[in-house]
Amino acid sequence: MNQLRTEPINPPAQGLRRLLTKDPAEADLGRRRFRLRAGQARATLERAERSHIFGYNAVLSYETGKIDNLPAEQRGFAYEGAAMACATLDLLTVSRGRRAHELLAGLAVRHQHAAHLGIGRAYARLRLRPLWGFGACHPLLRWLAVDGFGFQRSLTHADRMVGERSMPDLLTRAHRAIFDQGLGRMLWFHDCACPEDVAARVAEFPAGRRGDLWSGVAFAATYVGGADPDELCGLAAHASADGFRAHLSQGAAFAIATRLQEGHVPEQAAHAVQLLTGADPEQAASWTDTALIALGHDPHTHEDFQAWHAHTRRALTRRHR
């Protein structure tokens, strides 16, 4: 492997850096008028967003290497932020993803999932169509940028995306299901990891969108955390009653596969995947690997990405029979 750099190629000019730097107070869910509740849920969710902002600002201050000083369970969020910053700079300077490519090939090599989500968040912040004019992404994982776009767009326009259940005009029809996975992840933040409130929110959407929303909810519940075991059991019961238990399990399986790739599985994530899929982390992750192999040589299309999820759901459905 090439020597890893601790700062991006072509660092931003001082004025651009000041303009783009994020205020750590953006992590405060109360400022976004999201639902708040007592206990550890809010602290867990806000800690994740603070780590995201730390990684984002680390790129702008040429201190990307400091991300690895964070606790292991927080580094994925920070690399998501770092990728968002790199992609933002690449898009503003029309460099076709040079900074993001260096990050993906270097420091974030074990955080591919999080980094591709961060690239999508950059598109949403700049109000650009996901994947437009960008050549740095993995052929298949690049579709995660649409998921990241969905999370960020819903985070900043919750009244429209959640309250009105609208869909951005920037998206093509092929993007919409993946967008909803990102929206589902955001709903976990929006309702402060409360399964009853999240389930009620998902129920407001048309049935054709709810499966992808449940998938995103489960990814966040497993990867980010915030709910105790009883609440996770309640989340599974709500998804089952809605007819989307397989989608919930699929989201949890992908979340734990991501954690395993990162090299650290937090205790809460291991417990969550057991409760949401009925399997231990290694077994749940293996279903995503088997589904990927089933796609054959060189999967890269939107249809391949969706088939990857569908094959995983089929494995989970067979387990729950």
Side-chain angles (χ1 to χ4, degrees):
M1 183 182 297
N2 295 333
Q3 184 178 2
L4 303 184
R5 295 170 59 93
T6 59
E7 59 189 51
I9 299 173
N10 299 325
Q14 186 71 18
L16 184 59
R17 184 177 70 180
R18 286 197 300 268
L19 178 66
L20 294 177
T21 296
K22 281 193 170 192
D23 182 354
E26 290 182 33
D28 182 357
L29 298 182
R31 288 183 54 172
R32 297 186 180 277
R33 296 181 290 118
F34 285 3
R35 183 188 187 280
L36 304 177
R37 62 176 179 146
Q40 289 299 310
R42 179 180 180 181
T44 297
L45 300 174
E46 291 184 339
R47 183 163 56 248
E49 272 299 284
R50 282 198 301 273
S51 296
H52 166 85
I53 293 169
F54 177 90
Y56 178 94
N57 288 339
V59 168
L60 299 180
S61 60
Y62 325 142
E63 297 176 325
T64 316
K66 288 187 176 181
I67 291 174
D68 284 338
N69 295 332
L70 293 174
E73 66 271 15
Q74 294 299 311
R75 291 173 198 160
F77 305 118
Y79 277 116
E80 179 187 20
M84 180 180 182
C86 287
T88 298
L89 293 168
D90 285 334
L91 289 166
L92 289 174
T93 59
V94 198
S95 62
R96 294 196 58 81
R98 286 198 301 270
R99 296 174 182 85
H101 175 74
E102 181 178 271
L103 184 73
L104 289 165
L107 289 172
V109 70
R110 299 192 70 171
H111 298 273
Q112 297 291 301
H113 193 290
H116 281 84
L117 292 175
I119 290 170
R121 292 184 71 165
Y123 277 92
R125 190 182 188 197
L126 297 175
R127 300 180 184 180
L128 296 174
R129 186 187 301 276
L131 304 176
W132 172 83
F134 209 80
C137 297
H138 183 280
L140 186 62
L141 295 183
R142 67 193 178 106
W143 295 104
L144 289 169
V146 182
D147 184 321
F149 179 95
F151 180 92
Q152 182 67 33
R153 181 81 173 198
S154 303
L155 189 71
T156 54
H157 299 281
D159 289 346
R160 291 185 58 202
M161 301 299 109
V162 180
E164 299 175 13
R165 296 173 291 284
S166 61
M167 187 71 73
D169 294 335
L170 289 169
L171 295 178
T172 66
R173 184 176 298 277
H175 289 161
R176 292 183 178 184
I178 307 174
F179 174 93
D180 276 340
Q181 293 171 36
L183 171 55
R185 288 192 300 118
M186 197 284 297
L187 290 178
W188 192 246
F189 286 76
H190 187 278
D191 289 292
C192 207
C194 176
E196 289 75 19
D197 290 345
V198 171
R201 196 76 64 180
V202 172
E204 295 172 353
F205 286 80
R209 298 182 64 181
R210 295 206 296 269
D212 293 300
L213 293 173
W214 277 118
S215 174
V217 166
F219 190 99
T222 304
Y223 189 88
V224 183
D228 62 33
D230 288 341
E231 290 173 327
L232 289 170
C233 289
L235 187 71
H238 283 299
S240 295
D242 200 20
F244 293 104
R245 177 62 189 270
H247 285 80
L248 186 86
S249 296
Q250 171 232 302
F254 272 88
I256 207 66
T258 301
R259 283 297 193 183
L260 284 166
Q261 183 185 54
E262 293 172 353
H264 176 76
V265 178
E267 184 177 358
Q268 67 79 22
H271 289 162
V273 77
Q274 179 71 51
L275 293 169
L276 298 182
T277 71
D280 61 43
E282 289 74 16
Q283 184 178 21
S286 73
W287 294 328
T288 71
D289 294 336
T290 301
L292 179 60
I293 293 169
L295 297 180
H297 177 67
D298 190 31
H300 63 277
T301 67
H302 163 263
E303 289 78 12
D304 289 332
F305 186 82
Q306 293 293 76
W308 186 14
H309 288 185
H311 291 334
T312 302
R313 287 196 297 274
R314 281 196 285 272
L316 291 159
T317 299
R318 287 193 295 269
R319 178 180 179 84
H320 289 299
R321 283 175 180 168

